[in-house]
Amino acid sequence: MSDPLRERLLRLLFPHKCFCCTALLPDGGYLCPACAKTLPRIEPGRFPNLPPFVRVAAPLYYKDGVRQGIHRFKYDGRSYYAAFLAGLMAERLLEIPGLPRFDLLTYVPPAPHKLRQRGFCPAGMLAQQLSRRLKIRVRDGLIGHTENTVAQMTLSDRLEREANARQSFAGVRGVRLHGERILLVDDVLTTGSTARRCASLLARAGAGEIWMAAAAVVPHQEWESPDMPRFSEKDVERAGIL
Ligand SMILES: [Zn+2]
């Protein structure tokens, strides 16, 4: 069967639905016209404040339809949503002046019990999609999950989240990095506790520069501070472990 015919058949059997509101999209795509207009995009050049050494690039705020869409992606495993989100993440990354040439891409490892339940890893799926777009190879197994079953999303207190992240992720014996520039992928950035923990493990294993790409960021007062410096090319040149 030719590819266009196969594509048409697939679309008839499994029509695309709008990422945000689930309206049917007979012509394919990811957003209905109304949701495309109101998609809560993070203004280019605005970065969540994640001290001390992780640069973050993310295209969307985790709210409204995006929140619902990511929920469906994570719990229904819609791979075409991974393609949609990774497409936006790649766009956001590529518009950053002087973006480093990453040596490898990795992702926040899933809790083993969640992987068993869902049968897939949303962050891993985003990493694979990003890998295709950015031509950077994915390397997994750089960060270990301790099988701690307390999910970060059940904790609202920042200190509790920091402590839980420390308990959830650990270094992997035998992993040795040699100054590689790494792009760490996750689906949603909430307080940054997981990102900080994973980045510090990568740094300890010998990573050089570490950036993070997330599909969406939970809007938080301090992350939307007008005082947040915009990255100039000079800032990007200086990026690294501060
Ligand atoms: Zn819609």
Side-chain angles (χ1 to χ4, degrees):
M1 200 183 296
S2 72
D3 271 3
L5 185 59
R6 188 168 167 272
E7 181 66 24
R8 263 168 54 198
L9 257 176
L10 274 173
R11 205 169 285 165
L12 271 175
L13 291 169
F14 306 104
H16 275 203
K17 289 180 181 173
C18 172
F19 177 75
C20 294
C21 74
T22 72
L24 279 178
L25 303 173
D27 298 327
Y30 305 106
L31 291 169
C32 72
C35 291
K37 267 190 214 155
T38 56
L39 196 67
R41 288 177 184 269
I42 298 175
E43 206 182 304
R46 210 163 227 204
F47 289 74
N49 185 11
L50 198 60
F53 55 79
V54 189
R55 308 292 193 198
V56 181
L60 300 170
Y61 283 118
Y62 186 71
K63 62 178 190 179
D64 309 331
V66 168
R67 191 189 178 104
Q68 286 144 28
I70 288 185
H71 195 269
R72 280 191 295 277
F73 162 56
K74 288 177 75 166
Y75 296 97
D76 295 347
R78 306 284 175 107
S79 56
Y80 64 88
Y81 286 160
F84 167 58
L85 293 170
L88 293 178
M89 290 160 81
E91 260 174 40
R92 173 50 46 94
L93 281 160
L94 293 173
E95 69 195 13
I96 296 171
L99 185 78
R101 288 175 65 90
F102 295 106
D103 299 301
L104 51 98
L105 217 153
T106 195
Y107 54 92
V108 172
H113 69 283
K114 280 206 182 139
L115 187 59
R116 282 193 295 274
Q117 268 168 20
R118 290 179 184 157
F120 78 104
C121 163
M125 218 180 231
L126 291 174
Q128 291 297 344
Q129 290 282 343
L130 260 185
S131 164
R132 267 187 233 164
R133 286 167 171 76
L134 302 177
K135 311 273 182 262
I136 311 167
R137 73 195 164 102
V138 178
R139 209 172 131 192
D140 51 19
L142 296 181
I143 304 163
H145 199 290
T146 60
E147 308 223 10
N148 175 20
T149 53
V150 180
Q152 283 293 96
M153 62 187 293
T154 61
L155 305 172
S156 53
D157 179 81
R158 180 180 284 270
L159 291 177
E160 275 179 10
R161 291 180 69 98
E162 294 281 343
N164 193 56
R166 275 197 302 278
Q167 280 165 26
S168 300
F169 302 100
V172 177
R173 192 174 295 201
V175 168
R176 295 275 178 279
L177 295 165
H178 303 92
E180 288 89 339
R181 285 155 298 192
I182 296 185
L183 183 60
L184 171 68
V185 177
D186 203 359
D187 40 42
V188 178
L189 187 76
T190 308
T191 61
S193 306
T194 295
R196 262 194 297 274
R197 172 66 175 159
C198 290
S200 69
L201 290 169
L202 291 172
R204 263 188 246 165
E209 200 166 329
I210 302 162
W211 281 60
M212 174 163 200
V217 173
V218 176
H220 194 280
Q221 207 59 39
E222 66 201 77
W223 288 353
E224 294 186 271
S225 158
D227 303 331
M228 264 303 290
R230 283 168 184 251
F231 278 112
S232 64
E233 283 185 37
K234 212 168 156 199
D235 290 326
V236 175
E237 276 169 32
R238 280 204 306 258
I241 297 179
L242 303 176

